[in-house]
Amino acid sequence: MTSFEFALLPLLFLPLILENPLTSAQMMSSLVKPGIFRHLMCRNNMYPRSSVLRYPVSDEQVFWSEPFPDYCPPAYTAPHIGGQVWADPPLPSDTFWPQWNQLDGQVNRESFHGAYNVQNGLPLNPIGRTGLTGRGSLGRWGPNHAADPIVTRWKRDDQGAIVANPTTGKNIIQMVAIQRSDNKLWAIPGGMVDPGENVSVTLKREFTEEALNFTDKANMVERFFQAGGVQVYQGYVDDFRNTDNAWMETTALNFHDEDGSQVGQLELMAGDDASNVRWTDVDSNLKLHANHADIVREVVIRRNAHW
Ligand code: BGC
């Protein structure tokens, strides 16, 4: 192949990209990438609900490939996770031998970012240093899997007409956001995937528990979720609870109510881990827990909405 032909190669994929905006969004995605992304939420701060200060880690020192001979992070595992059914036993242990990087019984210890390293019997955060070893308040050593339903509708005026932003001319999309009880930040109403549970079940369960506090419209919600969502992200989450040995990963799907006749009509009511819930206008000013705003942006690109 000549270099000219080689340069034309991307054009081959153009029809595919134009046909499916998500493909291009995913290809251009600026979401968390190991070796590029530097922790923002889980670095240089006090570990949540504790008095444990993380060991300072500069931008350059995040990556494991960067030598950091003085690195001496404290170890912390929150006392309340001891003995919980959803949590692993402590390590090292004579009786607990986790099968890293694979399905370990019902527990998924695989990362979406490929095989992670295991050092001195403990899994290593695939992004890099966080200034803390142990599990903090996360239940699992290694990846802790969550699922996030991004439920959206178009913003409408009193007459039911879709509202566009006057500057961009693009329609404004709204999402269901909850206010988390633990850090008071607004977030996607997601939750942890139980061992052996299918992500689609987690998505519906968490949405119903957190944003609807269960509902008499259960059948409609069931149908809405069954119609299927569009996956917009799968991978690491820049969560404030991450440590060098335990971290959050998520699978995020968009469930969109195009004509606002289904979930878009529902009265929202906060429940479970949520202290508040609301339909929120989505735009570039949106501030959400962890890197949820980046994940939501993938939906905006996909739906060609205002940002
Ligand atoms: C939340 C998810 C979130 C994950 C990572 C879980 O506690 O329920 O919405 O993506 O943490 O921050």
Side-chain angles (χ1 to χ4, degrees):
M1 191 185 290
T2 65
S3 58
F4 179 66
E5 282 166 340
F6 188 72
L8 289 180
L9 212 52
L11 289 179
L12 268 182
F13 296 100
L14 204 55
L16 189 72
I17 291 172
L18 293 176
E19 206 172 86
N20 183 354
L22 183 62
T23 314
S24 69
Q26 280 175 336
M27 278 160 48
M28 294 182 297
S29 158
S30 59
L31 294 186
V32 175
K33 290 199 181 76
I36 297 174
F37 180 82
R38 297 163 159 83
H39 289 132
L40 299 174
M41 303 295 171
C42 55
R43 192 161 54 100
N44 300 330
N45 54 19
M46 189 85 87
Y47 194 83
R49 293 178 173 183
S50 82
S51 51
V52 183
L53 203 55
R54 294 176 185 268
Y55 193 87
V57 176
S58 70
D59 281 358
E60 294 69 33
Q61 292 161 332
V62 169
F63 306 129
W64 296 112
S65 54
E66 193 59 36
F68 190 178
D70 295 339
Y71 186 54
C72 185
Y76 177 65
T77 295
H80 75 265
I81 71 172
Q84 298 287 346
V85 282
W86 44 263
D88 287 334
L91 282 174
S93 155
D94 290 337
T95 50
F96 171 54
W97 299 99
Q99 305 297 300
W100 305 121
N101 285 307
Q102 53 182 286
L103 198 59
D104 180 9
Q106 297 273 64
V107 180
N108 180 8
R109 300 196 193 276
E110 258 183 297
S111 165
F112 291 123
H113 295 280
Y116 47 85
N117 292 324
V118 179
Q119 204 177 63
N120 303 325
L122 296 180
L124 272 194
N125 187 311
I127 301 296
R129 300 181 178 97
T130 67
L132 194 82
T133 64
R135 258 175 306 164
S137 54
L138 294 178
R140 303 282 171 205
W141 296 99
N144 287 250
H145 289 282
D148 281 297
I150 307 162
V151 173
T152 53
R153 70 178 183 189
W154 296 112
K155 182 174 187 164
R156 288 171 194 271
D157 62 17
D158 292 345
Q159 275 70 51
I162 296 179
V163 179
N165 176 276
T167 312
T168 62
K170 289 189 172 179
N171 295 341
I172 299 173
I173 207 165
Q174 296 183 315
M175 68 174 278
V176 174
I178 54 131
Q179 191 176 25
R180 293 174 62 100
S181 305
D182 59 0
N183 60 6
K184 300 289 168 232
L185 293 175
W186 287 90
I188 307 168
M192 307 303 295
V193 182
D194 288 340
E197 188 177 47
N198 192 303
V199 165
S200 61
V201 175
T202 319
L203 290 164
K204 193 185 64 207
R205 176 171 53 75
E206 288 297 332
F207 183 76
T208 314
E209 287 176 9
E210 298 203 346
L212 303 176
N213 202 11
F214 301 99
T215 175
D216 53 351
K217 305 271 181 356
N219 287 341
M220 185 265 274
V221 175
E222 179 80 36
R223 279 196 305 276
F224 179 70
F225 274 89
Q226 235 159 37
V230 178
Q231 187 174 304
V232 289
Y233 181 66
Q234 195 161 56
Y236 190 88
V237 184
D238 185 24
D239 189 287
F240 65 139
R241 295 164 295 184
N242 292 348
T243 74
D244 287 2
N245 310 121
W247 60 90
M248 291 298 315
E249 298 198 8
T250 198
T251 302
L253 268 77
N254 176 216
F255 296 88
H256 183 64
D257 186 356
E258 180 62 26
D259 63 5
S261 65
Q262 304 165 64
V263 170
Q265 297 269 318
L266 280 181
E267 296 246 343
L268 304 173
M269 195 191 289
D272 200 31
D273 298 334
S275 47
N276 254 311
V277 63
R278 67 180 181 206
W279 283 101
T280 304
D281 288 6
V282 171
D283 64 26
S284 54
N285 296 317
L286 191 65
K287 298 269 176 295
L288 295 177
H289 159 78
N291 54 323
H292 281 188
D294 295 332
I295 298 175
V296 170
R297 177 150 162 71
E298 297 291 313
V299 176
V300 169
I301 294 170
R302 158 94 190 170
R303 306 271 169 209
N304 194 23
H306 165 70
W307 178 249

